[in-house]
């Protein structure tokens, strides 16, 4: 052990220096030019964002088709070979909504308007679609109100076990903020509720002043969104929704378990406050509202229309000169629930800025070594549909050719840089962040601000299902990155997420957009141009070691043995050290290609064709969404699912399955080690 530590240190130092200087001097000159002030244009970014957010553009609408045409026009004018890929997918829209509260038997019923009040002078506010949940179940239900805090599993357990509250037959009201809204509906259904109301609590999203006077959500603001728990078109699970394809029936879709089985509606804080004032009962520790049930009765009625609609992915390509069959893919979605200034069109504006800068580079003589593909996805808001259908259609090509997928969604909502990635890309992100000025402090870099913040250069992982990286990482096993400035923002998914909000509060000078284009674009350029792919699997091994130690520290008992996992991670660490040494000595185009293939394909080895138990679409055994929170990221999600099940059942077979899942992950990691070594056993 004492000898391995110095070796690891030397290898890490060598790989870091190689990381910095592995591409040609000419490439570095182009990369520096890409970051120069003469290449960036915050005025152009602002114009693009203003154009994209002029009207609400929900997936499947005419306005979203117009936005797609605009994106393609910018791609084309930026010398990208562009085309549109269409899919015919199942989407839902609201037809009827009503919510009526009867406070007591003798009281007059209160009928809620379910409308957001216009704030500011947006001339297209009347085009905003009525508030609803995508894929919500149609139905008319009534029941006493039960307040379930954030609607988490632990919230429902507390109601049942600690407070003696029976949720069966109730209409649950829960606030958004901790887990995905689709999981709130699913958790409520499993607790016995007949309907769900989800609201944006002023404690999380409000302030003394609100938009347009300040950044906070107005009292009438409503956060809409999907409640679908799957990815991609619900009628084509696992295959692309091309015209004339096989589709599941409505009954089969419902049996899949991914669409909700009880109706739901999103409401404002103002409406929720009226409902909660009629609820009696005990108050949970740390909260302010009684939990109920009742005595008021809430009637929730919703009718949705399901249609097969056309969606459009806009694709732009710069073909690689030396390795045209290796793809560096950048992506962002375009569709929005309303105007989408933050979500997602801050990301679209960044993607267009990158396209325009790459055009300027090409005019200076730059040609990428590998192919760069820019993708503008559609119908992400409904369930990552555009990206998922494209990945499913191109699965085999992506499996053999994709180097990495770089995602940006809510690119800018405020200050503070955040990044998530698969671990072999950690060092690349840090190095890129060292070369880009902090948009909020020109005296230092993004990296300097990052290490001085509470984040302390914590790079998240891509196990959650929150954006378009999910299909690439979790279904195919492509290394991935997701970046943003700012975090959650108050007017999320409401009609107030418009250009005025961005211009006043999100990024008044559009310098954060410029910085995001710089750091994301630089990561793409390094991946596209460096002779040897800048992947560092020692970071991966260290990350997995921490996760294995966390699992071991759970002390699960039942003769559960984590050693196979720990041993496989040690093998991965050794393989990573040796391939770092190989990078220093490799010569010749064939040898470079072979080494790059090993670096690229190691991530694929961490997938399993059978996928997670009960969730077979998710193939990645290291990173996947939490079973009870699609936004949450879990290391070893299959093990986590098995442990949760074993704790519930406490049977010999359930605990044996925990051990089996540990073995599955161990075998996948060992496969990754063999790929990195590049030798048959």
């Amino acid at each position: 052990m004492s000898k391995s530590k110095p070796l690891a240190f030397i290898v890490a130092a060598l790989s870091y220096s190689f990381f910095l200087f592995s591409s040609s001097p000419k490439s570095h000159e182009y990369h520096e030019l890409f970051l120069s002030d003469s290449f960036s244009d915050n005025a152009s970014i602002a114009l693009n964002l203003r154009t994209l957010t002029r009207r609400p553009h929900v997936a499947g609408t005419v306005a979203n088709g117009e936005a797609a045409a605009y994106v393609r026009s910018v791609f084309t004018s930026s010398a990208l070979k562009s085309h549109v890929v269409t899919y015919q997918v199942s989407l839902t829209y609201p037809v009827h909504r009503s919510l009526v509260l009867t406070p007591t038997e003798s009281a007059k019923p209160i009928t809620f308007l379910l409308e957001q009040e216009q704030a500011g002078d947006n001339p297209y506010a009347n085009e905003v679609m009525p508030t609803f949940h995508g894929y919500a179940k149609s139905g008319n239900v009534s029941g006493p109100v039960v307040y379930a805090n954030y609607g988490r599993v632990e919230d429902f357990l507390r109601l049942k076990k600690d407070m003696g509250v029976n949720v069966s037959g109730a209409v649950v009201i829960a606030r958004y903020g901790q887990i995905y809204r689709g999981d709130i509906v699913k958790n409520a259904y499993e607790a016995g509720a007949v309907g769900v109301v989800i609201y944006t609590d002023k404690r999380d999203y409000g302030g003394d002043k609100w938009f347009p006077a300040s950044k906070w959500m107005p009292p009438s603001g409503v956060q809409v969104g999907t409640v679908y728990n799957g990815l991609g078109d619900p009628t084509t699970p696992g295959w692309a929704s091309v015209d004339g394809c096989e589709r599941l029936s409505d009954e089969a879709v419902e049996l899949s378990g991914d669409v909700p089985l009880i109706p739901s509606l999103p409401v404002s804080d103002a409406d929720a406050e009226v409902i909660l004032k009629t609820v009696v009962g005990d108050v949970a520790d740390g909260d302010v509202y009684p939990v109920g049930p009742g005595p008021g009765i809430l009637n929730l009625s919703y009718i949705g229309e399901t249609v097969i609609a056309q969606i459009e992915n806009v694709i732009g390509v710069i073909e690689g000169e030396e390795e045209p069959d290796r793809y560096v893919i950048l992506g962002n979605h375009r569709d929005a629930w309303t105007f989408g200034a933050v979500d997602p069109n801050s990301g679209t504006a960044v993607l267009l800025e990158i396209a325009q800068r790459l055009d300027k580079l090409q005019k200076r003589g730059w040609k990428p070594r590998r192919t760069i593909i820019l993708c503008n996805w559609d119908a992400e808001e409904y369930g990552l549909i555009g990206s998922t259908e494209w990945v499913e259609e191109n699965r085999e090509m992506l499996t053999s050719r994709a180097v990495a997928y770089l995602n940006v969604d809510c690119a800018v909502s405020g200050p503070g840089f955040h990044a998530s990635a698969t671990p072999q890309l950690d060092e690349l992100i840090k190095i890129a962040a060292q070369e880009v000025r902090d948009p909020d402090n020109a005296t230092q870099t993004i990296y300097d601000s990052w290490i001085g913040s509470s984040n302390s250069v914590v790079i998240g992982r891509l196990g959650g299902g929150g954006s378009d990286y999910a299909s690439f990482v979790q279904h195919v096993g492509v290394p991935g990155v997701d970046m943003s400035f700012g975090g959650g923002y108050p007017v999320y998914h409401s009609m107030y997420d418009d250009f005025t909000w961005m211009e006043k509060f999100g990024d008044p000078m559009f310098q954060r957009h410029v910085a995001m284009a710089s750091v994301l674009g630089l990561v793409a350029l390094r991946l596209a141009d460096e002779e040897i792919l800048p992947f560092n699997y020692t970071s991966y091994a260290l990350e997995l070691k921490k996760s294995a130690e966390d699992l071991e520290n759970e002390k699960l008992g039942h003769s559960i043995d984590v050693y196979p996992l720990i041993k496989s991670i040690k093998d991965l660490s050794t393989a990573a050290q040796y391939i770092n040494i190989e990078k220093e000595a490799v010569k010749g185009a064939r040898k470079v290609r072979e080494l790059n293939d090993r670096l690229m394909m190691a991530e694929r080895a961490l997938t399993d064709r059978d996928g997670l138990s009960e969730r077979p679409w998710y193939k990645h055994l290291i990173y996947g969404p939490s079973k009870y929170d699609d936004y949450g990221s879990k290391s070893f999600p299959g093990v986590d699912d098995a442990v949760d099940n074993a704790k519930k059942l406490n049977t010999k077979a359930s605990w044996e399955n925990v051990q089996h899942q540990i073995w599955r992950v161990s075998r996948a990691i060992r496969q990754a080690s063999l790929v990195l070594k590049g030798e048959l056993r």
Side-chain angles (χ1 to χ4, degrees):
M1 183 67 71
S2 60
K3 291 182 179 179
S4 65
K5 286 183 178 179
L7 174 61
F9 177 80
I10 292 168
V11 169
L14 286 171
S15 65
Y16 186 81
S17 63
F18 180 82
F19 211 77
L20 283 171
F21 305 114
S22 62
S23 60
S24 69
K26 188 65 175 176
S27 292
H28 279 294
E29 289 176 14
Y30 285 127
H31 298 176
E32 290 173 4
L33 198 56
F34 179 86
L35 300 179
S36 67
D37 290 340
S38 63
F39 266 48
S40 62
D41 190 345
N42 57 336
S44 175
I45 290 174
L47 176 62
N48 285 334
L49 185 63
R50 184 186 290 276
T51 304
L52 289 162
T53 59
R54 188 173 67 93
R55 298 173 61 192
H57 47 288
V58 176
T61 63
V62 172
N64 198 39
E66 293 172 352
Y70 180 76
V71 170
R72 187 178 186 185
S73 72
V74 176
F75 279 179
T76 301
S77 65
S78 300
L80 275 72
K81 296 177 183 177
S82 64
H83 63 282
V84 174
V85 181
T86 62
Y87 297 103
Q88 311 300 316
V89 303
S90 175
L91 302 179
T92 70
Y93 303 102
V95 174
H96 165 78
R97 313 158 303 136
S98 75
L99 192 66
V100 181
L101 173 68
T102 305
T104 63
E105 287 185 10
S106 59
K108 183 180 179 180
I110 301 168
T111 300
F112 297 98
L113 295 178
L114 304 177
E115 293 179 355
Q116 301 181 81
E117 295 177 3
Q118 185 169 346
D121 57 356
N122 194 316
Y124 294 96
N126 63 332
E127 291 188 10
V128 172
M129 195 170 286
T131 55
F132 78 113
H133 282 149
Y135 299 111
K137 183 176 178 61
S138 296
N140 189 324
V141 298
S142 295
V145 181
V146 171
Y147 169 64
N149 195 23
Y150 287 111
R152 299 165 295 188
V153 169
E154 57 263 39
D155 291 320
F156 285 103
L157 283 175
R158 181 170 59 174
L159 286 172
K160 181 179 180 180
K161 293 186 176 181
D162 299 343
M163 306 184 74
V165 174
N166 184 5
V167 178
S168 295
V171 175
V172 161
I173 183 167
R175 55 177 169 151
Y176 184 87
Q178 292 293 316
I179 65 171
Y180 169 58
R181 73 187 68 78
D183 289 309
I184 296 174
V185 178
K186 184 177 180 180
N187 294 341
Y189 167 77
E190 292 180 349
V194 296
V196 183
V197 171
I198 302 174
Y199 75 103
T200 48
D201 196 302
K202 62 186 176 185
R203 291 175 289 175
D204 301 311
Y205 294 90
D208 294 333
K209 296 181 180 179
W210 48 81
F211 183 76
S214 79
K215 69 177 182 178
W216 299 106
M217 176 83 94
S220 70
V222 178
Q223 179 211 112
V224 300
T226 186
V227 287
Y228 173 48
N229 284 298
L231 275 73
D233 183 345
T235 68
T236 61
W239 63 92
S241 297
V242 296
D243 194 22
C245 70
E246 176 189 9
R247 293 187 187 276
L248 299 185
S249 66
D250 293 344
E251 294 77 10
V253 169
E254 190 160 291
L255 286 172
S256 72
D258 288 331
V259 294
L261 300 177
I262 54 176
S264 65
L265 276 176
V267 303
S268 66
D269 178 79
D271 288 349
E273 191 170 348
V274 173
I275 297 169
L276 290 166
K277 281 181 177 177
T278 70
V279 178
V280 300
D282 296 330
V283 177
D285 291 342
D287 214 318
V288 297
Y289 296 122
V291 298
I297 300 296
L298 195 60
N299 172 256
L300 187 163
S301 178
Y302 175 75
I303 298 174
E305 177 187 23
T306 301
V307 302
I308 299 299
Q310 178 168 293
I311 64 169
E312 299 177 322
N313 292 336
V314 185
I315 313 295
V317 180
I318 303 175
E319 189 169 302
E321 187 172 40
E322 296 176 57
E323 298 182 66
D325 60 337
R326 290 293 177 262
Y327 307 147
V328 176
I329 306 170
L330 294 83
N332 152 266
H333 77 95
R334 177 187 67 258
D335 65 297
W337 288 118
T338 62
F339 297 99
V342 174
D343 184 7
N345 297 129
S346 62
T348 315
V350 165
L351 196 69
L352 298 183
E353 165 74 359
I354 291 172
Q356 291 168 327
R357 289 199 211 177
L358 294 180
D359 180 33
K360 293 174 185 176
L361 277 188
Q362 290 186 88
K363 289 174 179 174
R364 298 289 184 95
W366 167 81
K367 294 180 180 179
R369 179 186 180 92
R370 303 178 183 92
T371 295
I372 295 176
I373 305 175
L374 274 61
C375 304
N376 186 230
W377 310 117
D378 203 349
E380 187 269 1
E381 294 292 4
Y382 277 87
L384 316 185
I385 292 178
S387 59
T388 299
E389 299 308 310
W390 193 80
V391 168
E392 289 175 345
E393 183 172 30
N394 296 290
R395 182 188 297 112
E396 299 309 316
M397 290 278 282
L398 294 171
T399 298
S400 62
R401 297 186 176 191
V403 171
Y405 174 71
L406 313 181
N407 189 67
V408 64
D409 190 332
C410 301
V412 179
S413 61
F417 179 74
H418 301 268
S420 298
T422 47
Q424 74 273 60
L425 294 170
D426 285 0
E427 293 302 320
L428 177 58
I429 295 169
K430 291 176 185 177
I431 291 168
Q434 290 172 15
E435 297 191 34
V436 180
R437 287 196 304 271
D438 178 6
D440 296 296
N441 186 346
T443 65
Q444 57 187 21
T445 66
I446 290 175
Y447 184 82
D448 294 331
S449 300
W450 201 5
I451 61 174
S453 70
S454 58
N455 293 322
S456 299
V457 195
V458 173
I459 295 179
R461 297 301 166 217
L462 297 177
S467 194
D468 290 301
Y469 56 76
S471 298
F472 289 90
V473 175
Q474 298 157 16
H475 189 60
V476 180
V478 174
V481 169
D482 185 63
M483 296 182 189
S484 65
F485 273 101
Y489 64 105
V491 298
Y492 172 66
H493 281 192
S494 75
M495 69 179 289
Y496 313 109
D497 182 6
D498 64 9
F499 186 82
T500 299
W501 190 92
M502 178 63 76
E503 193 174 37
K504 292 183 70 172
F505 308 113
D507 192 12
M509 299 300 295
F510 291 87
Q511 293 298 340
R512 293 168 188 153
H513 285 76
V514 170
M516 178 54 66
S518 293
V519 69
L520 186 73
L522 182 58
V523 169
L525 286 171
R526 293 264 167 88
L527 289 167
D529 286 342
E530 294 194 6
E531 184 180 45
I532 296 176
L533 291 174
F535 289 174
N536 184 351
Y537 280 92
T538 57
S539 296
Y540 221 129
L542 286 171
E543 180 79 12
L544 294 181
K545 183 173 182 288
K546 293 174 190 173
S547 298
E549 289 170 349
D550 289 342
L551 181 62
E552 191 172 34
N553 290 337
E554 287 188 39
K555 300 186 184 305
L556 297 169
H558 301 275
S559 301
I560 299 299
D561 185 7
V562 183
Y563 178 72
L565 184 57
I566 293 172
K567 184 180 184 300
S568 68
I569 294 167
K570 286 181 179 177
D571 292 343
L572 179 65
S573 179
T574 300
Q577 290 175 7
Y578 280 115
I579 201 167
N580 283 344
I581 293 171
E582 277 189 78
K583 289 177 184 179
E584 297 295 318
V586 67
K587 292 180 181 179
R590 187 180 67 82
K591 287 289 187 181
V592 167
R593 173 79 171 200
E594 188 268 341
L595 187 144
N596 279 336
D597 283 352
R598 286 151 55 194
L599 290 166
M600 184 179 76
M601 297 303 292
E603 187 76 40
R604 314 284 199 273
L606 298 172
T607 63
D608 184 283
R609 62 179 175 271
D610 294 330
L612 302 180
S613 301
E614 300 181 11
R615 296 190 287 165
W617 187 91
Y618 295 96
K619 307 296 184 185
H620 208 291
L621 298 190
I622 308 301
Y623 296 115
S626 167
K627 192 174 183 179
Y628 299 103
D629 176 16
D630 193 57
Y631 286 165
S633 176
K634 287 286 184 181
S635 295
F636 316 140
V639 176
D640 186 70
D641 289 352
V643 169
D644 179 76
N645 189 57
K647 286 180 177 178
K648 289 178 182 176
L649 300 178
N650 199 27
T651 61
K652 184 173 183 288
S654 65
W655 286 107
E656 286 176 346
N657 185 49
V658 172
Q659 188 65 64
H660 171 62
Q661 296 300 330
I662 290 172
W663 275 112
R664 287 187 74 199
V665 177
S666 304
R667 288 191 287 268
I669 295 172
R670 185 169 184 271
Q671 286 294 321
S673 302
L674 293 174
V675 170
L676 283 180
K677 290 176 182 175
E679 295 178 358
L680 291 172
R681 293 277 293 169

